[in-house]
Amino acid sequence: MPDFLPPAPPAPKRPSNWVIIASAAAVIAAVIGTGVFVVNSRGDDSKPATTTAASSAPDEDAAPAAEESDPEPTYADVDADSFDIELRTTERQCFGSAGCNVTIEPKLTYVGLSEELDPDAVYEITYEVRGDESGPVIETAELSDRTSLNYTPTSISTASSGTKVSVKITDVMTRGY
């Protein structure tokens, strides 16, 4: 075994002062270059151009102006012609010539764009089902959040298995403003 120790590895070299100074100058130049900009607000009101420096604190005068410029959203006036309705038969039990017991559900479609509907409103859509042996049946479905339809399935009895069941929207009311 040798009686001497291996030499210590050389110490890492520190960057020279000119590298540190050049790096600092580059960072300062980048901050100044991106942090300061000129806004030319000369228009019909003839205000002079202003210079603004970027900062972490928001401009107190800019916030109210942004709030004032947001107009209140407007939504479509909705009526019975704004929706199409069809019936979906979920159960049918027929008794020969005695007719059928039928359970149906409404299948509603908004005719326009869903963004036209107020997301905070509830639309009560009243519809009339014809084909029941004792006369028309009136039901109401509720549309909320533009896409959530709540209804109760309707059970009717037809006079015969050949009876045509039809539906028509009679009224739409809006609530929740």
Side-chain angles (χ1 to χ4, degrees):
M1 209 179 233
D3 289 334
F4 60 92
L5 294 173
K13 291 190 176 191
R14 293 182 42 178
S16 63
N17 288 340
W18 70 270
V19 172
I20 294 172
I21 292 171
S23 298
V27 169
I28 291 171
V31 169
I32 290 173
T34 59
V36 176
F37 56 95
V38 176
V39 177
N40 187 358
S41 64
R42 212 172 261 270
D44 294 340
D45 57 1
S46 299
K47 290 183 182 177
T50 59
T51 302
T52 306
S55 67
S56 61
D59 187 7
E60 292 177 13
D61 293 334
E67 291 174 332
E68 292 171 9
S69 68
D70 289 340
E72 196 64 30
T74 57
Y75 300 105
D77 291 330
V78 179
D79 59 11
D81 294 330
S82 301
F83 294 92
D84 285 333
I85 189 168
E86 296 177 8
L87 293 176
R88 177 178 170 250
T89 301
T90 58
E91 291 182 38
R92 172 182 232 123
Q93 183 178 10
C94 294
F95 306 100
S97 62
C100 300
N101 290 334
V102 181
T103 302
I104 53 176
E105 297 176 351
K107 184 178 171 187
L108 283 165
T109 306
Y110 180 64
V111 176
L113 300 173
S114 64
E115 290 80 25
E116 295 174 349
L117 295 174
D118 184 348
D120 298 324
V122 175
Y123 299 94
E124 295 178 347
I125 304 157
T126 303
Y127 56 97
E128 182 177 280
V129 178
R130 294 188 173 263
D132 186 73
E133 64 185 353
S134 53
V137 177
I138 296 177
E139 294 284 352
T140 300
E142 289 186 349
L143 177 66
S144 58
D145 297 329
R146 296 179 177 161
T147 59
S148 180
L149 184 65
N150 294 318
Y151 58 85
T152 302
T154 304
S155 295
I156 61 171
S157 296
T158 62
S160 72
S161 61
T163 302
K164 298 289 181 188
V165 179
S166 63
V167 65
K168 177 183 174 185
I169 296 175
T170 58
D171 188 32
V172 176
M173 292 183 60
T174 306
R175 64 179 168 86
Y177 281 105

